[in-house]
Amino acid sequence: MLRTVIATTAVLGLAAGCAPDPQTPVKIRALVLSGNGQYVPEEVELKTVDDIVGLSGTVADLHGGARIVYDSRDQELTNATTAEAFAAALLKGEGRDVAANYINQDDVLWPADFHTWNMVTAYYNLERAFDYFREVTNIPLTDFKKPVKTYYFPEFVLADIQPGPLKDNALYFSAMESFLVLPFDQLQRAPLSINAGVITHEYSHRIFNLKAYGGSPFPEALISWSTAGGPNPGANILKSFDEGLADLHAYGATCRSKSGCDTRFLSSSFHGPDQGPLADERDLAKTDRCIDDALRDSLRDNSLSQFSGKEYRVGTILASALYQAGEATGQRDILLRSIVAAYNDETTATPGILQLTRRYIGDQSKFTLAVAAGAIITHVTDLRLKEAVCNELMDHLQIPRDQLVGTNNPNLCPPSAAGGTTCPRLGAD
C-alpha cells in the first residue's frame, strides 16, 4: 500500500501544486479497498468538508500534534469537577490544525504526501460512517452533535498501562468526545485510519454513546456499575453489547462499498502470523460461536477490570448471532435499524437500553443478557425476523427460552421461537 502511494505521488510530481479552495462536493483521491483486497487511489467526493487544507467540516475536524495523557496520579484530573474540566486536564498539548498538501490534476485533488493521503482517507471514512448511520439506521441529522474533533497522530499516553504513547489504534474516546487516529508501527499494510470498517466500528461507539449512554462522556450506568464493589455483570454486558454491535455495524457499512460485504473487515489491517488470528476471531460469518460455562461465569462474576478483553468474545458471539438472523431472512438493513432504535426508546412497552439501565441502576444484576437482548427483540417488528433473532440469541448466547418468549410481553419472542441446535446446552445459570 505504501509503495502504491509513493509511486502515485511520484508520477504526479510534475503537476503544479496549489492551495485549493474548491466548492463541495470536492473531487479528491483517497485510498479505497478494491475488489482484490488492495488499497488503491480512487476518485471520491468529500461532501461535508468546509476547509480542504485543514480537513474540517460538518462531520469531523482534524487536529494534529496533540498530547493526551491519562494518569490516575494526575492531580489536575483528580481535581476536575466537570466533564469539561476533565477533558481539559487530559489535554497536555493542544497541537494545531492539520495542513494537507495537494496536486490539482484535471480538477481532481491528489494528496501530495503520505500524511495527506492518510488524513483525506480518514475524513472520507468518517463521512462514510456518518452516511451509513444517517441513511441506513435512520438517525436524524439533528441527533448528531457538532463535528467530532479528530486528533490525528497524537501522543496518547495511558500512564497506568505503559509509559510511552500508544500506537496502532484508532478509537472513540468518550472522555473527550473525540476520535483518536494514533500513529502506526506494526500495521504497515493498512493503517487503521484507511480501513473503513475500523472507522465505522469506532463511529458506532460514538452512536452507542449518544443513544444508549445518553451522550454522556461518563455514562451513568457504566460508571456506577463498574465502581460498585464485587462483580459488575451489568457493566460487562454493556461493554460486550457496545463492542459486538460496533462490529455488526462495521460489517453493515461494508455492504455499501464497491468491494462488497466483508465479515472479515479487520483482515486488511491485521494479517500475517502475528496479527492474522484477530480477523479470524472476529469473523461474523462463523456459525459455531457459542458462549461456554467459563465465559458465562466471567460475565456474571467478574469485575469490569477482570472482564477486560472478554467483552470482545461475548460481543463477537452476539454480532455473529444477529448477522446470521439478518442474512438468513434477507433483512440485514431492517435489523440494523431495529438495533439502533433499541438504544434509546422512552416507550413504556418497548424501553431502550438507556431506559433499562436507568431502571436497574440500583441493581445491575437485573440487567441480564435476556434484558439487554430483549431491548433489540422488542424493536424488531417483522415476525419472521424476530423469530430468527430470538432463535439465534437463545442458541449462541444460551439465553433460556422462558426469559425471552413474550408470555407477559407480546413484543418479545413469539411462541414459535424455540432456539437453535448449534450450541451445546449449558447447565442452569
Side-chain angles (χ1 to χ4, degrees):
M1 182 207 69
L2 297 181
R3 287 194 297 271
T4 301
V5 174
I6 293 169
T8 302
T9 305
V11 168
L12 293 173
L14 298 178
C18 62
D21 185 23
Q23 300 296 311
T24 53
V26 178
K27 292 182 179 180
I28 199 165
R29 288 272 173 168
L31 294 170
V32 179
L33 188 64
S34 66
N36 65 4
Q38 301 296 316
Y39 285 90
V40 298
E42 181 175 304
E43 182 180 322
V44 301
E45 288 186 344
L46 295 186
K47 298 175 291 184
T48 67
V49 68
D50 298 321
D51 178 357
I52 193 64
V53 174
L55 284 169
S56 65
T58 56
V59 167
D61 179 8
L62 267 65
H63 203 70
R67 178 172 170 79
I68 302 165
V69 180
Y70 174 79
D71 186 337
S72 60
R73 300 163 296 180
D74 186 342
Q75 200 61 43
E76 286 187 78
L77 294 177
T78 303
N79 294 339
T81 58
T82 65
E84 293 78 11
F86 193 88
L90 287 167
L91 193 60
K92 302 305 183 184
E94 293 187 4
R96 59 196 178 278
D97 292 337
V98 301
N101 298 303
Y102 302 97
I103 297 166
N104 191 328
Q105 187 177 58
D106 299 326
D107 294 325
V108 177
L109 298 181
W110 286 71
D113 56 64
F114 169 74
H115 283 294
T116 302
W117 280 106
N118 208 26
M119 293 187 297
V120 165
T121 303
Y123 191 100
Y124 176 60
N125 286 336
L126 287 166
E127 206 175 69
R128 292 165 72 186
F130 171 84
D131 285 344
Y132 162 79
F133 281 104
R134 188 170 54 84
E135 296 170 3
V136 175
T137 70
N138 289 348
I139 297 179
L141 187 62
T142 53
D143 285 6
F144 292 92
K145 293 185 177 181
K146 61 185 179 181
V148 184
K149 179 68 71 70
T150 301
Y151 290 98
Y152 178 76
F153 276 36
E155 288 187 28
F156 181 49
V157 179
L158 298 177
D160 294 2
I161 297 176
Q162 68 178 52
L166 300 181
K167 296 181 180 180
D168 287 322
N169 209 341
L171 62 147
Y172 179 68
F173 191 32
S174 66
M176 298 181 70
E177 299 183 274
S178 300
F179 289 109
L180 309 183
V181 177
L182 304 187
F184 65 89
D185 180 23
Q186 299 299 315
L187 302 181
Q188 296 283 336
R189 182 169 182 261
L192 297 183
S193 56
I194 74 169
N195 187 319
V198 169
I199 296 299
T200 304
H201 174 103
E202 295 307 321
Y203 208 96
S204 179
H205 288 317
R206 182 197 181 211
I207 298 300
F208 198 84
N209 181 276
L210 286 174
K211 299 291 187 177
Y213 290 153
S216 173
F218 303 100
E220 180 186 12
L222 194 60
I223 298 300
S224 175
W225 290 348
S226 64
T227 56
N232 306 142
N236 296 340
I237 289 170
L238 274 176
K239 291 293 289 183
S240 297
F241 269 59
D242 191 1
E243 288 297 341
L245 296 176
D247 272 1
L248 187 65
H249 285 302
Y251 160 74
T254 67
C255 295
R256 292 160 55 88
S257 68
K258 288 184 178 180
S259 54
C261 297
D262 185 4
T263 62
R264 291 172 49 82
F265 64 88
L266 291 172
S267 63
S268 62
S269 295
F270 297 92
H271 69 104
D274 296 330
Q275 302 159 351
L278 179 62
D280 294 331
E281 292 166 5
R282 302 268 284 274
D283 184 358
L284 302 188
K286 291 192 174 182
T287 61
D288 59 350
R289 301 192 182 281
C290 306
I291 199 168
D292 56 27
D293 283 304
L295 188 55
R296 185 182 65 176
D297 290 347
S298 295
L299 189 70
R300 179 190 60 201
D301 299 333
N302 283 179
S303 67
L304 185 61
S305 61
Q306 292 171 328
F307 193 69
S308 180
K310 298 173 188 174
E311 69 271 23
Y312 298 101
R313 291 177 56 197
V314 176
T316 299
I317 297 169
L318 167 69
S320 179
L322 292 171
Y323 161 82
Q324 292 177 61
E327 298 300 315
T329 58
Q331 298 189 72
R332 176 198 312 124
D333 286 358
I334 293 173
L335 177 57
L336 293 168
R337 281 194 291 275
S338 301
I339 289 168
V340 171
Y343 291 169
N344 186 340
D345 186 351
E346 297 283 356
T347 308
T348 303
T350 57
I353 290 175
L354 175 61
Q355 288 69 35
L356 291 166
T357 59
R358 288 173 174 170
R359 179 183 299 178
Y360 300 122
I361 193 69
D363 186 358
Q364 63 178 301
S365 67
K366 293 181 179 178
F367 186 76
T368 61
L369 276 177
V371 168
I376 294 174
I377 292 165
T378 58
H379 287 83
V380 177
T381 56
D382 179 87
L383 182 60
R384 181 165 168 257
L385 178 59
K386 185 189 288 280
E387 181 179 8
V389 168
C390 291
N391 286 337
E392 297 295 347
L393 293 179
M394 289 179 195
D395 188 9
H396 296 277
L397 285 177
Q398 292 290 286
I399 303 175
R401 180 179 181 275
D402 60 4
Q403 294 181 17
L404 289 181
V405 173
T407 52
N408 297 317
N409 183 350
N411 296 304
L412 280 171
C413 298
S416 55
T421 58
T422 299
C423 300
R425 300 294 95 187
L426 301 183
D429 191 0

